[in-house]
Amino acid sequence: MIPMGTVVTVCMFSGLIVVMLLPVLRKFPPLLLNLAGYIVLAAGLWNVFWYGIQHYAEFWGVAALISGVTMIQTSLYILQVGWLPAVLLRAKPLVLILLLGCALMYTIQIMSL
């Protein structure tokens, strides 16, 4: 069985790749983009509402909350960018850098196990 941390890490990197390639990927069927967006959204929601809230006093609980929120924002960049307020549109580079940092931190931890 694949550990959930590995699944979440793959979802973080997938969200980053899709958002960075969004202008090119817009030419593909919308179903593929929507699928990627919903998978990233589901992983973000799981991180926030399942792991993060249950372990909010621990380091990995805080990491899950931060990475979960950034995955949710990233999924909205993929699915419905029009829903986001202007402040989140301007914060897109910061959100993506934060998500990259979380993904790298998760990767380093998984590799050290």
Side-chain angles (χ1 to χ4, degrees):
M1 190 165 189
I2 299 173
M4 195 60 190
T6 303
V7 172
V8 169
T9 304
V10 169
C11 290
M12 283 189 251
F13 280 117
S14 299
L16 284 167
I17 291 168
V18 169
V19 169
M20 297 305 292
L21 297 176
L22 211 49
V24 174
L25 294 177
R26 290 275 182 223
K27 298 173 186 165
F28 286 85
L31 177 66
L32 296 175
L33 282 178
N34 288 341
L35 182 63
Y38 286 121
I39 289 171
V40 173
L41 177 63
L45 290 172
W46 184 89
N47 243 14
V48 170
F49 293 112
W50 181 254
Y51 193 84
I53 288 178
Q54 288 186 8
H55 303 277
Y56 66 90
E58 302 169 9
F59 173 79
W60 286 108
V62 174
L65 288 170
I66 292 169
S67 63
V69 168
T70 57
M71 278 194 288
I72 292 167
Q73 289 175 332
T74 301
S75 72
L76 291 176
Y77 292 136
I78 298 168
L79 296 170
Q80 290 292 337
V81 74
W83 288 359
L84 295 172
V87 68
L88 288 182
L89 292 175
R90 285 191 306 270
K92 182 178 177 181
L94 179 63
V95 169
L96 295 179
I97 289 170
L98 189 57
L99 185 57
L100 177 62
C102 290
L104 292 173
M105 181 179 65
Y106 275 55
T107 301
I108 291 167
Q109 180 62 33
I110 290 169
M111 296 297 284
S112 70
L113 294 176

